[in-house]
Amino acid sequence: LGGGKQTFNPYVSIEFNGHTLQLPAAKDTCTVHFDECFRIPVVTPLFADSIVIRVWNKTGYSDEMIVQGRLSFSLLRMHAMLPKWFNFYGFDKEEVTDLKAITGSGEAAEVNTY
């Protein structure tokens, strides 16, 4: 996660069309491996296309987002994806000073997104 000795309490959340699912947090680890499956409820009408996947660090007060990725639901619906590994790389706080500017923009996933 951090590449050092600092430990984290990471967990994964999935958001799609107003629904949020999440895993329980791992405890005090500096590496993490999630091998999980989510069943996302799909209710019509759909008002969103992006499936937002986030890895968080559970802290005592407000959780800190480590990384975010997006999948296009319409692309998955039209072209089934076999089980696949995704590598996520976090944001460097010195390079990305305003994380909300990145995570809050772009509802539509680009074609090359995963």
Side-chain angles (χ1 to χ4, degrees), residues 40-102:
I40 302 170
V42 177
V43 180
T44 57
L46 293 175
F47 297 108
D49 184 55
S50 291
I51 301 169
V52 181
I53 305 160
R54 292 186 176 115
V55 178
W56 299 86
N57 180 30
K58 185 166 229 26
T59 60
Y61 304 102
S62 64
D63 296 348
E64 175 187 27
M65 184 174 37
I66 298 171
V67 70
Q68 170 180 296
R70 294 178 190 260
L71 296 170
S72 168
F73 177 76
S74 58
L75 288 175
L76 290 174
R77 186 179 57 185
M78 300 301 289
H79 309 284
M81 183 189 317
L82 295 173
K84 182 176 186 169
W85 286 101
F86 292 101
N87 293 313
F88 288 96
Y89 300 95
F91 302 107
D92 184 337
K93 291 179 183 178
E94 292 180 11
E95 292 180 14
V96 180
T97 55
D98 185 11
L99 192 59
K100 292 203 184 284
I102 294 175

Side-chain angles (χ1 to χ4, degrees), residues 6-53:
Q6 179 184 359
T7 61
F8 296 87
N9 301 308
Y11 68 94
V12 174
S13 72
I14 303 288
E15 295 177 20
F16 176 66
N17 202 33
H19 296 280
T20 301
L21 304 170
Q22 72 181 46
L23 296 174
K27 303 288 184 200
D28 297 320
T29 183
C30 56
T31 63
V32 69
H33 170 91
F34 292 105
D35 187 10
E36 300 291 334
C37 178
F38 285 95
R39 289 185 177 256
I40 302 170
V42 177
V43 180
T44 57
L46 293 175
F47 297 108
D49 184 55
S50 291
I51 301 169
V52 181
I53 305 160

